[in-house]
Amino acid sequence: MDKSKLNNYFHSLFPIQKEIVEKITETFCHFTLDKNTTLLNKDAISTKTYFLEKGYIRSYILNEDNEEITTNIYSAPCFVNDFLSFFKKQPTKEIYQTITDCSFWETSLENVQKNFHNIPEFREFSRLLFVINYSKLNDRLIEMASKKAETRYINLLKQQSHIFQNVPLKFIASYLGVTDSTLSRIRKEISKI
């Protein structure tokens, strides 16, 4: 299988030699999942880390009323995982489900740890990836607490407009912290501007 998208992702975040990237990714295996398939279930221990090569995934929880609340929407290319579960071997708190047909590359914790110990560039890449993910999570937390729903919708539309062509509106509404009808109202009001 062609690992060019996986390899290019490493190059896009960090200046790293081609040979080193190929060494890092040599243990990654390819697989696909159909739309609406669970990648990682709640209370499971994540034993692999996944690179999303193509497609869209969401993570979600069930609230006290047993309603699905979308916590994140992932679009390729990116790494997808419950990293606390992966590194600390603790049960996941979310469910990870494909929204579209998806293709992935996966590798085990053992391979990741081996790369950490043997490839300094991989440590630097991983550190950068964690900082980027923390920054996104922190920005989302602040936005959810400080911005109106309309502003959150406009920001998502500006930053990731492709999501609206590939992800059902009910997942987007949940991700934005609003009901389907509120999202519909916001979309109508914005379209008039």
Side-chain angles (χ1 to χ4, degrees):
M1 288 293 304
D2 178 17
K3 291 184 181 175
S4 61
K5 287 186 181 176
L6 173 61
N7 292 348
N8 288 340
Y9 186 77
F10 280 87
H11 293 294
S12 73
L13 294 186
F14 185 73
I16 188 169
Q17 293 177 351
K18 179 181 176 185
E19 297 76 25
I20 293 172
V21 170
E22 288 171 358
K23 184 174 172 114
I24 291 167
T25 63
E26 70 185 357
T27 62
F28 281 73
C29 299
H30 188 264
F31 71 100
T32 60
L33 287 178
D34 293 335
K35 177 180 178 177
N36 298 324
T37 303
T38 299
L39 172 69
L40 190 57
N41 217 338
K42 182 180 184 288
D43 295 325
I45 305 290
S46 178
T47 60
K48 308 267 187 189
T49 190
Y50 307 99
F51 176 76
L52 178 62
E53 178 181 52
K54 185 183 108 194
Y56 290 81
I57 290 183
R58 73 178 178 128
S59 56
Y60 69 95
I61 58 168
L62 298 174
N63 69 11
E64 291 179 342
D65 295 323
N66 211 35
E67 299 165 327
E68 294 179 1
I69 306 297
T70 300
T71 54
N72 208 342
I73 298 171
Y74 300 88
S75 59
C78 68
F79 277 92
V80 176
N81 204 346
D82 182 320
F83 290 106
L84 283 177
S85 177
F86 182 65
F87 286 109
K88 296 184 87 178
K89 299 187 191 251
Q90 65 187 36
T92 61
K93 296 177 181 173
E94 299 167 283
I95 300 162
Y96 292 75
Q97 179 186 50
T98 59
I99 298 171
T100 62
D101 292 346
C102 293
S103 71
F104 299 89
W105 291 92
E106 69 177 10
T107 195
S108 69
L109 177 59
E110 294 77 22
N111 290 328
V112 169
Q113 296 289 28
K114 184 178 158 190
N115 286 339
F116 274 136
H117 294 298
N118 298 318
I119 306 173
E121 294 87 348
F122 182 73
R123 286 194 299 274
E124 289 302 313
F125 169 82
S126 298
R127 186 177 297 130
L128 179 60
L129 188 61
F130 283 123
V131 168
I132 289 168
N133 284 331
Y134 170 78
S135 176
K136 286 179 183 176
L137 182 63
N138 194 49
D139 288 349
R140 176 160 159 71
L141 181 67
I142 290 169
E143 185 177 63
M144 290 296 286
S146 65
K147 304 291 183 194
K148 294 179 181 177
E150 291 84 356
T151 305
R152 296 194 303 268
Y153 169 80
I154 291 168
N155 288 345
L156 185 62
L157 192 59
K158 284 180 185 174
Q159 295 164 6
Q160 300 183 66
S161 61
H162 55 90
I163 283 177
F164 291 88
Q165 284 82 48
N166 295 283
V167 175
L169 289 177
K170 66 180 181 176
F171 297 156
I172 295 172
S174 174
Y175 177 71
L176 292 171
V178 299
T179 63
D180 296 0
S181 57
T182 299
L183 179 59
S184 179
R185 177 188 55 77
I186 291 169
R187 287 168 57 86
K188 283 179 187 170
E189 288 174 3
I190 300 292
S191 69
K192 293 175 185 174
I193 298 174

